[in-house]
Amino acid sequence: MSALTGGVGPAAATAGPAAAAALRRVTGVPLARLLAKRLVAAAVIVVALATSVFVLQRLSPLDPAKAMLGPGASASAVAQQREKLGLDDPFAAQLGRYLVGLPQGDLGMSYRTRRPVMTDLGAFVPATAELAFTAIVLALLLGIFFAVSTSLRWPGASVLRGVLMAGASAPAFLLGIGAILVFYKQLGWLPASGRTGITDVPGGPSGLLVLDGLLAGRFDVVSDALKHLVLPALAISFGPSVAIGRVLRTSLSSEERSDYARTARAKGLTDGAVLRRHVLRNAVGPALSMTGLQVGLMFAGVLVVEQIFAWPGIGQYTAQSIPVADFPAIAGVTLLLGIGYVVINTVVDILQGLADPRITT
Amino acid sequence: MSQDDTTAAVATAPPPTGAGAPVARVEDLHVTFRRAGADIQAIRGVSLEVGPGEIVGLVGESGSGKSVLGLSLLGLLGGSPRTSGRAVVHGTDMLTAGAAERRDVRRLHLGAVFQDPMTSLNPTMRVGRQIVEAAGSQDEAVRLLTAVGVPDPARRLRAYPHELSGGLRQRVMIAMAVAGTPSLVIADEPTTALDVTVQAQVLGLVKRLRDEIGCAFLLVTHDLGVAAQVVDRVAVMYAGRITEVGPADEVLRHGAHPYGVALMRSRLSLRTDRDTPLLALPGSVPSPARPEPGCAFAPRCTLAGPDCTTTPPAPVEVAPGHLAACVRDLAEIRAFADAVPGEEPPATGRPSAATAPAAATEAGPGAAPDDAPVEEPAAVRVQNAYRTYGVGSGIGRRRPLQALRGVSLTVARGEAVAVVGESGSGKSTLLRLVAGLERADGGTIELGSAAGAQMVFQDSGASLTPWLTIGELVGERLRSAGVPRAERDRRVAEALELVGLPAEVAKARGTQLSGGQRQRVGLARATVVPPEILLCDEPTSALDVSLAASVINLVGRLRRELDMAVLFVTHDLSVARVVADRIAVMYLGRIVEIGTADEITHRPRHPYTQALVAAVPDLGVEPPPPSGEPASPLDPPPGCAFHPRCPRATPSCSDPALDPRLAAQPGERTRLTACINLEVS
């Protein structure tokens, strides 16, 4: 069998620096390329979104100047205001001005609040971020539970599945209203409006009440904030959790029938060990993709659900900006959501690369 | 293996019922699956013992139940079948024992190797961790990898499966299987997904491990040649039963059951007669949903009588340790085995004079101009073709894969040429270029006439659109040519008749047909408008031996009747030998040798061709394991690409400036070889 130690073909050249390749996957060239690609994508999306908001502004019959001055304003005052806002400049000039300001963080002035849109967003975003993040985590947990309970045939899993499926078939606002009626009005278990009932909340540094409360050692704030999060976050996460869960369940069951799972069983591993060590990592890819897609839909859900729960986030801000044609504010929110979507999907891609070594080598 | 070695191997291996209790015992096993409301009787009463340290071959066609038997012993039957009988390993019945007990037997006493090492290893886990799961420790994993011949094992432990070559992956699988020194390893088609030279190495490894560790192997395979190489005893399965079991040499050479005899006769080897049609088994395997009451083989058996169809025949001992389940007289079977094949025109059509003129036009890149272009009309003329792909996906970098690196090949009118090579040789790329499915990056491809080229694919099932009827599929080209409906139906019926399918098939859909029928549909589709040249991409490699033989016969007949040229791509030299007048051997994107079928298979001259010929598994052949595996077309070695594996390589072979050209030897007209160190006798 001398030949066995002879030439070994291509593997010798490629298999060796496996550790180096793994390192590069996380820190090196391919990741930098991915980030560069996504940066370009984000720029393209921002320009496209800004342009569409501006086109909508042109088409809109609402006059921001009139909206700012109120219904009783004289025509000359409106004209003066239009001049001041630069609304009579050519379309391209307005758009150009806006785009040039973006890299410096200048999103223009809100017509309504008369403050920079950036400042307004800074005030409203933390509330929305806290709610959205909670909803994503909840959607993932429910989705994983949905899939694994079905896959391992846990008793009682079908009840939960039924509840989730029924819930997912209703729109988020209906779930929200129903949850308020049942858990607040009838049972009185959970609060139904705002982020907290406590008035002297710690004022920083993240703006996320749960986190700030923990940092300040104010556990009363933490628990109150969590109670306030439960119902709106659930209302948002029901639909996405079922979507994620179904995809994960499908890929779990096909991976469980795979050849390598059979190999693992032939080694004498238990079903649980086969699922944990072998199947799960191979099955998460499609579920991650679905999570990325669902996050986009969840943003829309957040804006509506904030209204129902009087959540002081960008949903409120947007709702107040739309009737008065506050286009800088609307544009700011739109761009923020667009960038959030790109960021989430970049994170998904990186996670998929970490889960599957074949993607990056 | 040579005759002497066989005897030695049998002598060292404990006889089936001799020294020590058997490590595995199957007793009257029945396994029935429930599928779509029908009972599928996968195994219908099988008894078999595997002695300690014994290599038992389980041979049969697809659907014979051989893999189900292997999975029964592993206690890994999926799909909750009904079972009866026993499948005992190390004192535990793997059918009835509890899950934990079966797990323990698998962990301590059993190992398993499956067909495709790419899918059978977890793609997202380093092979080191996967081996440690079975071996217990890192050190033991290194020791095992060394034992199975993986070079630089400590480094390989950190690799992911996709970073290893096919042969190394299968060695990793084998290392996991023999971890903890099991008493039995179930190896289900362990070499089917491997290149032929690598297959020979892995078979050698199996034998060596048995000798060193003393573990028994149950080697499940459809390939009688593979079985002949390594096994001590053979059990032949057909339709869920064992038809014949006995010492390997005895069963394979002196079969005592008509099925085994027919199987051996329809199998191809390098000694198969090219001038007579192959002996295809008539009919097809009976449906496991409606098993025969008597001998399952009776409907296809030329010796069958009325007594064959009533009750299943009991096994009879025909020689020491050799049992056959057939009611016919042994003498009658032996006479059948020696009988002269029937009358049919030769499979290869005309091994005609057409071959000679074309040969002179093949040359390497930049062939000398005095290689006078022959005016002989050619079916296809490929000149200096190059093709490079970009590979790499996701966020990795794309790298160039050089699939073809200057290939010239001329196929004369009516000539059949086979292109043979291992994975990565570029043989399928060449075919796709000729078919016009892809464009060459350099060089030219000229078809002889407007009749053009038509392709027959390997996976006939996947290449039939599932919602169209066979009639629509076959008639598609007529339809696009504007042939009226009635005329179309008539010509579809003719095409189907020509490939031996009943006219009713036109109304069926692809999923309702068997593998062999689907491949015939593929041929009918390609020939309904007879092309100048028929392109075949491994059309037989997914078929069982008996079906493969009938498809090869059919290609030969169609070629004669429709006067087509054939370009036939295959990894199997013995197939190439019977379908083609000439054979071109490819390695890493180049033709290294081309000549008549007999020249290539009987007097190979290029060292690579010699290694390929030597690696073809067969009875009475001990393959010298060719070293190494095909290099990657991502990174072809400089100079002659074969030099890292070549026993005759000299320093000048690796010179990057070397460009080995195809050249003829003095006095030879038909054969060209691209080697600078030829041993010309």
Side-chain angles (χ1 to χ4, degrees), chain B residues 44 241 292-296 307-315 325-327:
Chain B
R44 306 186 295 140
R241 288 211 182 93
E292 300 287 328
C295 172
D307 47 341
C308 292
T309 53
T310 48
T311 50
C326 182
V327 298

Side-chain angles (χ1 to χ4, degrees), chain B residues 348-670:
Chain B
T348 47
R350 36 166 213 227
S352 60
T355 66
T361 62
E362 267 93 54
D370 60 3
D371 246 2
V374 177
E375 292 308 317
E376 189 78 15
V380 66
R381 202 185 297 275
V382 179
Q383 274 172 330
N384 207 17
Y386 280 81
R387 181 78 175 104
T388 303
Y389 300 99
V391 295
S393 58
I395 37 190
R397 192 175 308 152
R398 290 178 80 76
R399 295 187 291 168
L401 183 148
Q402 302 172 35
L404 288 183
R405 305 186 298 140
V407 167
S408 298
L409 175 70
T410 302
V411 181
R413 284 251 157 90
E415 186 194 20
V417 174
V419 179
V420 174
E422 295 180 282
S423 50
S425 64
K427 55 190 192 299
S428 295
T429 304
L430 176 62
L431 206 62
R432 284 199 296 273
L433 293 189
V434 174
L437 297 174
E438 285 177 29
R439 295 180 68 86
D441 297 326
T444 58
I445 289 144
E446 293 166 37
L447 286 174
S449 74
Q454 279 299 317
M455 188 114 162
V456 179
F457 298 93
Q458 170 176 359
D459 189 343
S460 51
S463 51
L464 298 180
T465 312
W467 57 85
L468 293 181
T469 66
I470 300 303
E472 285 166 327
L473 285 166
V474 173
E476 219 160 20
R477 281 201 300 142
L478 296 169
R479 189 182 176 146
S480 56
V483 177
R485 168 143 204 161
E487 164 82 0
R488 218 158 63 211
D489 289 349
R490 190 182 57 75
R491 286 179 62 182
V492 167
E494 276 174 16
L496 289 175
E497 192 190 343
L498 197 60
V499 298
L501 287 174
E504 302 89 80
V505 166
K507 295 192 202 74
R509 286 188 169 74
T511 48
Q512 297 164 294
L513 304 181
S514 70
Q517 285 176 319
R518 281 190 288 227
Q519 203 52 279
R520 283 168 192 269
V521 169
L523 280 164
R525 178 163 64 169
T527 55
V528 63
V529 180
E532 169 85 36
I533 181 163
L534 182 69
L535 308 173
C536 301
D537 189 3
E538 304 255 18
T540 59
S541 64
L543 300 178
D544 284 318
V545 248
S546 60
L547 284 175
S550 66
V551 168
I552 288 168
N553 285 342
L554 178 59
V555 169
R557 213 185 71 221
L558 287 173
R559 175 190 163 203
R560 268 190 324 278
E561 293 182 8
L562 302 174
D563 197 24
M564 298 179 295
V566 173
L567 188 58
F568 196 104
V569 161
T570 174
H571 66 282
D572 190 336
L573 261 179
S574 41
V575 170
R577 208 187 107 72
V578 291
V579 296
D581 304 318
R582 287 192 300 146
I583 297 177
V585 178
M586 288 189 70
Y587 189 75
L588 280 188
R590 289 194 169 188
I591 294 179
V592 297
E593 188 165 16
I594 183 165
T596 65
D598 280 330
E599 279 169 341
I600 297 293
T601 52
H602 290 167
R603 298 182 300 283
R605 190 167 282 152
H606 193 284
Y608 177 61
T609 315
Q610 291 172 343
L612 267 190
V613 169
V616 175
D618 200 359
L619 274 72
V621 178
E622 175 77 66
S627 64
E629 293 181 40
S632 165
L634 286 169
D635 188 20
C640 170
F642 186 61
H643 81 262
R645 304 173 68 191
C646 182
R648 292 213 295 271
T650 56
S652 51
C653 291
S654 54
D655 181 356
L658 172 69
D659 183 14
R661 306 273 173 87
L662 283 170
Q665 294 301 306
E668 282 192 348
R669 295 186 60 220
T670 51

Side-chain angles (χ1 to χ4, degrees), chain A residues 208-263:
Chain A
L208 309 179
L209 287 183
V210 175
L211 191 61
D212 289 346
L214 280 174
L215 291 174
R218 288 286 305 277
F219 296 104
D220 57 329
V221 174
V222 175
S223 108
D224 189 54
L226 283 176
K227 275 186 197 156
H228 279 79
L229 275 169
V230 172
L231 291 183
L234 267 180
I236 300 166
S237 60
F238 253 52
S241 77
V242 172
I244 295 166
R246 294 189 79 147
V247 169
L248 184 59
R249 183 182 62 178
T250 307
S251 58
L252 273 181
S253 66
S254 78
E255 295 296 325
E256 274 189 327
R257 288 193 299 268
S258 67
D259 288 355
Y260 68 81
R262 183 180 58 183
T263 305

